[in-house]
PDB file of all heavy atoms in Angstrom:
ATOM      1  N   GLU A   2      24.266 114.274 170.759  1.00 90.00           N
ATOM      2  CA  GLU A   2      24.912 115.073 171.757  1.00 90.00           C
ATOM      3  C   GLU A   2      26.055 114.263 172.327  1.00 90.00           C
ATOM      4  O   GLU A   2      25.868 113.047 172.674  1.00 90.00           O
ATOM      5  CB  GLU A   2      23.915 115.684 172.795  1.00 90.00           C
ATOM      6  CG  GLU A   2      23.243 116.847 172.145  1.00 90.00           C
ATOM      7  CD  GLU A   2      21.864 117.080 172.745  1.00 90.00           C
ATOM      8  OE1 GLU A   2      21.135 115.927 172.897  1.00 90.00           O
ATOM      9  OE2 GLU A   2      21.602 118.230 173.027  1.00 90.00           O
ATOM     10  N   VAL A  28      28.803 108.795 174.572  1.00 96.00           N
ATOM     11  CA  VAL A  28      29.530 109.003 175.809  1.00 96.00           C
ATOM     12  C   VAL A  28      31.028 108.552 175.609  1.00 96.00           C
ATOM     13  O   VAL A  28      31.361 107.517 175.143  1.00 96.00           O
ATOM     14  CB  VAL A  28      28.948 108.220 176.962  1.00 96.00           C
ATOM     15  CG1 VAL A  28      29.661 108.552 178.251  1.00 96.00           C
ATOM     16  CG2 VAL A  28      27.414 108.593 177.127  1.00 96.00           C
ATOM     17  N   MET A  58      44.068 114.528 191.076  1.00 94.00           N
ATOM     18  CA  MET A  58      43.406 115.763 190.811  1.00 94.00           C
ATOM     19  C   MET A  58      41.772 115.560 191.024  1.00 94.00           C
ATOM     20  O   MET A  58      41.311 114.827 190.152  1.00 94.00           O
ATOM     21  CB  MET A  58      43.652 116.261 189.342  1.00 94.00           C
ATOM     22  CG  MET A  58      43.353 117.685 189.181  1.00 94.00           C
ATOM     23  SD  MET A  58      43.141 118.059 187.324  1.00 94.00           S
ATOM     24  CE  MET A  58      44.824 117.849 186.655  1.00 94.00           C
ATOM     25  N   GLU A  62      39.393 120.769 191.363  1.00 94.00           N
ATOM     26  CA  GLU A  62      40.646 121.243 190.681  1.00 94.00           C
ATOM     27  C   GLU A  62      40.610 121.053 189.267  1.00 94.00           C
ATOM     28  O   GLU A  62      41.021 121.894 188.414  1.00 94.00           O
ATOM     29  CB  GLU A  62      41.855 120.341 191.310  1.00 94.00           C
ATOM     30  CG  GLU A  62      43.061 121.081 191.101  1.00 94.00           C
ATOM     31  CD  GLU A  62      44.352 120.202 191.563  1.00 94.00           C
ATOM     32  OE1 GLU A  62      44.147 119.392 192.423  1.00 94.00           O
ATOM     33  OE2 GLU A  62      45.376 120.353 190.936  1.00 94.00           O
ATOM     34  N   ARG A  68      38.452 125.973 183.588  1.00 88.00           N
ATOM     35  CA  ARG A  68      38.052 127.343 183.570  1.00 88.00           C
ATOM     36  C   ARG A  68      39.192 128.344 183.121  1.00 88.00           C
ATOM     37  O   ARG A  68      38.948 129.415 182.703  1.00 88.00           O
ATOM     38  CB  ARG A  68      37.446 127.829 184.800  1.00 88.00           C
ATOM     39  CG  ARG A  68      36.150 127.091 185.206  1.00 88.00           C
ATOM     40  CD  ARG A  68      34.960 127.233 184.255  1.00 88.00           C
ATOM     41  NE  ARG A  68      33.683 126.693 184.822  1.00 88.00           N
ATOM     42  CZ  ARG A  68      32.874 126.029 184.041  1.00 88.00           C
ATOM     43  NH1 ARG A  68      33.178 125.782 182.737  1.00 88.00           N
ATOM     44  NH2 ARG A  68      31.846 125.534 184.572  1.00 88.00           N
ATOM     45  N   GLU A  69      40.363 127.880 183.475  1.00 87.00           N
ATOM     46  CA  GLU A  69      41.558 128.740 183.055  1.00 87.00           C
ATOM     47  C   GLU A  69      41.892 128.596 181.555  1.00 87.00           C
ATOM     48  O   GLU A  69      42.647 129.378 180.968  1.00 87.00           O
ATOM     49  CB  GLU A  69      42.793 128.181 183.806  1.00 87.00           C
ATOM     50  CG  GLU A  69      42.647 128.735 185.297  1.00 87.00           C
ATOM     51  CD  GLU A  69      43.642 128.075 186.207  1.00 87.00           C
ATOM     52  OE1 GLU A  69      44.538 127.213 185.660  1.00 87.00           O
ATOM     53  OE2 GLU A  69      43.617 128.245 187.458  1.00 87.00           O
ATOM     54  N   GLU A 161      21.139 152.225 180.861  1.00 94.00           N
ATOM     55  CA  GLU A 161      21.961 152.312 179.648  1.00 94.00           C
ATOM     56  C   GLU A 161      22.516 150.964 179.237  1.00 94.00           C
ATOM     57  O   GLU A 161      22.413 150.561 178.082  1.00 94.00           O
ATOM     58  CB  GLU A 161      23.040 153.344 179.868  1.00 94.00           C
ATOM     59  CG  GLU A 161      22.695 154.802 179.781  1.00 94.00           C
ATOM     60  CD  GLU A 161      22.007 155.131 178.320  1.00 94.00           C
ATOM     61  OE1 GLU A 161      22.445 154.819 177.367  1.00 94.00           O
ATOM     62  OE2 GLU A 161      20.739 155.615 178.490  1.00 94.00           O
ATOM     63  N   ALA A 205      20.142 144.624 201.840  1.00 79.00           N
ATOM     64  CA  ALA A 205      19.927 144.476 203.234  1.00 79.00           C
ATOM     65  C   ALA A 205      18.524 144.907 203.557  1.00 79.00           C
ATOM     66  O   ALA A 205      18.150 146.003 203.135  1.00 79.00           O
ATOM     67  CB  ALA A 205      20.857 145.280 204.048  1.00 79.00           C
ATOM     68  N   LYS A 267      -6.812 127.474 156.330  1.00 90.00           N
ATOM     69  CA  LYS A 267      -7.018 126.316 155.295  1.00 90.00           C
ATOM     70  C   LYS A 267      -8.445 125.890 155.241  1.00 90.00           C
ATOM     71  O   LYS A 267      -8.991 125.742 154.242  1.00 90.00           O
ATOM     72  CB  LYS A 267      -6.053 125.066 155.701  1.00 90.00           C
ATOM     73  CG  LYS A 267      -4.738 125.216 155.252  1.00 90.00           C
ATOM     74  CD  LYS A 267      -4.026 123.980 155.376  1.00 90.00           C
ATOM     75  CE  LYS A 267      -2.569 124.099 155.138  1.00 90.00           C
ATOM     76  NZ  LYS A 267      -1.730 123.154 155.627  1.00 90.00           N
ATOM     77  N   GLY A 281     -21.176 127.037 141.210  1.00 84.00           N
ATOM     78  CA  GLY A 281     -20.873 126.718 139.809  1.00 84.00           C
ATOM     79  C   GLY A 281     -21.820 125.619 139.290  1.00 84.00           C
ATOM     80  O   GLY A 281     -22.272 125.717 138.210  1.00 84.00           O
ATOM     81  N   ASP A 287     -28.323 125.871 134.423  1.00 71.00           N
ATOM     82  CA  ASP A 287     -29.285 126.829 133.636  1.00 71.00           C
ATOM     83  C   ASP A 287     -28.329 127.345 132.512  1.00 71.00           C
ATOM     84  O   ASP A 287     -27.484 128.269 132.718  1.00 71.00           O
ATOM     85  CB  ASP A 287     -29.722 127.859 134.547  1.00 71.00           C
ATOM     86  CG  ASP A 287     -30.709 128.906 133.952  1.00 71.00           C
ATOM     87  OD1 ASP A 287     -30.612 128.951 132.683  1.00 71.00           O
ATOM     88  OD2 ASP A 287     -31.507 129.561 134.485  1.00 71.00           O
ATOM     89  N   ILE A 321     -23.464 133.771 151.291  1.00 96.00           N
ATOM     90  CA  ILE A 321     -24.951 133.422 151.416  1.00 96.00           C
ATOM     91  C   ILE A 321     -25.552 133.667 149.997  1.00 96.00           C
ATOM     92  O   ILE A 321     -26.405 132.856 149.516  1.00 96.00           O
ATOM     93  CB  ILE A 321     -25.549 134.316 152.523  1.00 96.00           C
ATOM     94  CG1 ILE A 321     -24.997 134.002 153.933  1.00 96.00           C
ATOM     95  CG2 ILE A 321     -27.064 134.140 152.486  1.00 96.00           C
ATOM     96  CD1 ILE A 321     -25.528 134.939 154.900  1.00 96.00           C
ATOM     97  N   ILE A 330     -30.971 122.775 142.292  1.00 86.00           N
ATOM     98  CA  ILE A 330     -30.389 121.539 142.079  1.00 86.00           C
ATOM     99  C   ILE A 330     -31.394 120.470 141.950  1.00 86.00           C
ATOM    100  O   ILE A 330     -31.418 119.431 141.186  1.00 86.00           O
ATOM    101  CB  ILE A 330     -29.232 121.065 143.121  1.00 86.00           C
ATOM    102  CG1 ILE A 330     -28.009 121.812 142.678  1.00 86.00           C
ATOM    103  CG2 ILE A 330     -29.117 119.706 143.262  1.00 86.00           C
ATOM    104  CD1 ILE A 330     -26.834 121.707 143.647  1.00 86.00           C
ATOM    105  N   SER A 344     -46.391 126.586 133.485  1.00 91.00           N
ATOM    106  CA  SER A 344     -47.757 126.293 133.919  1.00 91.00           C
ATOM    107  C   SER A 344     -47.809 126.608 135.436  1.00 91.00           C
ATOM    108  O   SER A 344     -46.744 126.627 136.062  1.00 91.00           O
ATOM    109  CB  SER A 344     -48.008 124.808 133.677  1.00 91.00           C
ATOM    110  OG  SER A 344     -47.262 124.029 134.594  1.00 91.00           O
ATOM    111  N   TYR A 348     -44.652 126.353 138.031  1.00 91.00           N
ATOM    112  CA  TYR A 348     -44.412 127.493 138.820  1.00 91.00           C
ATOM    113  C   TYR A 348     -44.264 127.038 140.372  1.00 91.00           C
ATOM    114  O   TYR A 348     -43.300 127.518 141.025  1.00 91.00           O
ATOM    115  CB  TYR A 348     -45.450 128.535 138.611  1.00 91.00           C
ATOM    116  CG  TYR A 348     -45.100 129.835 139.340  1.00 91.00           C
ATOM    117  CD1 TYR A 348     -43.727 130.425 139.229  1.00 91.00           C
ATOM    118  CD2 TYR A 348     -45.956 130.450 140.387  1.00 91.00           C
ATOM    119  CE1 TYR A 348     -43.480 131.668 139.952  1.00 91.00           C
ATOM    120  CE2 TYR A 348     -45.582 131.627 140.941  1.00 91.00           C
ATOM    121  CZ  TYR A 348     -44.368 132.181 140.765  1.00 91.00           C
ATOM    122  OH  TYR A 348     -44.197 133.416 141.487  1.00 91.00           O
ATOM    123  N   GLY A 358     -33.481 124.526 149.046  1.00 94.00           N
ATOM    124  CA  GLY A 358     -32.109 125.198 149.307  1.00 94.00           C
ATOM    125  C   GLY A 358     -31.977 125.307 150.843  1.00 94.00           C
ATOM    126  O   GLY A 358     -30.835 125.041 151.270  1.00 94.00           O
ATOM    127  N   PRO A 388     -41.421 131.680 150.577  1.00 96.00           N
ATOM    128  CA  PRO A 388     -42.312 130.789 150.914  1.00 96.00           C
ATOM    129  C   PRO A 388     -43.240 131.089 152.181  1.00 96.00           C
ATOM    130  O   PRO A 388     -44.293 130.410 152.423  1.00 96.00           O
ATOM    131  CB  PRO A 388     -41.502 129.454 151.227  1.00 96.00           C
ATOM    132  CG  PRO A 388     -40.181 130.096 151.725  1.00 96.00           C
ATOM    133  CD  PRO A 388     -40.100 131.451 151.003  1.00 96.00           C
ATOM    134  N   LYS A 435     -39.817 149.674 145.051  1.00 96.00           N
ATOM    135  CA  LYS A 435     -39.407 150.216 146.307  1.00 96.00           C
ATOM    136  C   LYS A 435     -40.644 150.214 147.161  1.00 96.00           C
ATOM    137  O   LYS A 435     -41.648 150.748 146.843  1.00 96.00           O
ATOM    138  CB  LYS A 435     -38.933 151.689 146.205  1.00 96.00           C
ATOM    139  CG  LYS A 435     -37.498 151.878 146.072  1.00 96.00           C
ATOM    140  CD  LYS A 435     -37.188 153.227 145.526  1.00 96.00           C
ATOM    141  CE  LYS A 435     -37.074 154.278 146.574  1.00 96.00           C
ATOM    142  NZ  LYS A 435     -36.575 155.551 146.079  1.00 96.00           N
ATOM    143  N   ASP A 440     -37.127 146.296 149.878  1.00 97.00           N
ATOM    144  CA  ASP A 440     -36.731 147.199 151.133  1.00 97.00           C
ATOM    145  C   ASP A 440     -36.335 148.495 150.372  1.00 97.00           C
ATOM    146  O   ASP A 440     -35.349 148.528 149.634  1.00 97.00           O
ATOM    147  CB  ASP A 440     -35.646 146.615 151.914  1.00 97.00           C
ATOM    148  CG  ASP A 440     -35.257 147.624 153.066  1.00 97.00           C
ATOM    149  OD1 ASP A 440     -35.490 148.808 153.018  1.00 97.00           O
ATOM    150  OD2 ASP A 440     -34.620 146.983 154.050  1.00 97.00           O
ATOM    151  N   ARG A 442     -34.748 151.214 151.320  1.00 97.00           N
ATOM    152  CA  ARG A 442     -33.407 151.731 151.684  1.00 97.00           C
ATOM    153  C   ARG A 442     -32.212 150.887 150.720  1.00 97.00           C
ATOM    154  O   ARG A 442     -31.485 151.424 150.197  1.00 97.00           O
ATOM    155  CB  ARG A 442     -33.086 151.334 153.187  1.00 97.00           C
ATOM    156  CG  ARG A 442     -31.842 151.981 153.646  1.00 97.00           C
ATOM    157  CD  ARG A 442     -31.862 151.810 155.182  1.00 97.00           C
ATOM    158  NE  ARG A 442     -31.927 150.400 155.566  1.00 97.00           N
ATOM    159  CZ  ARG A 442     -30.853 149.670 155.936  1.00 97.00           C
ATOM    160  NH1 ARG A 442     -29.675 150.223 156.231  1.00 97.00           N
ATOM    161  NH2 ARG A 442     -30.880 148.286 156.140  1.00 97.00           N
ATOM    162  N   SER A 462     -23.956 140.008 130.284  1.00 71.00           N
ATOM    163  CA  SER A 462     -23.570 139.583 129.055  1.00 71.00           C
ATOM    164  C   SER A 462     -22.132 138.794 129.074  1.00 71.00           C
ATOM    165  O   SER A 462     -21.921 138.112 128.267  1.00 71.00           O
ATOM    166  CB  SER A 462     -23.452 140.840 128.077  1.00 71.00           C
ATOM    167  OG  SER A 462     -22.475 141.639 128.596  1.00 71.00           O
TER     168      SER A 462
END
Side-chain angles (χ1 to χ4, degrees):
E2 281 153 317
V28 183
M58 196 200 295
E62 197 185 335
R68 297 297 187 222
E69 283 163 8
E161 281 305 307
K267 273 188 192 161
D287 186 335
I321 297 174
I330 277 178
S344 69
Y348 185 50
K435 268 165 82 176
D440 177 335
R442 194 171 57 105
S462 63

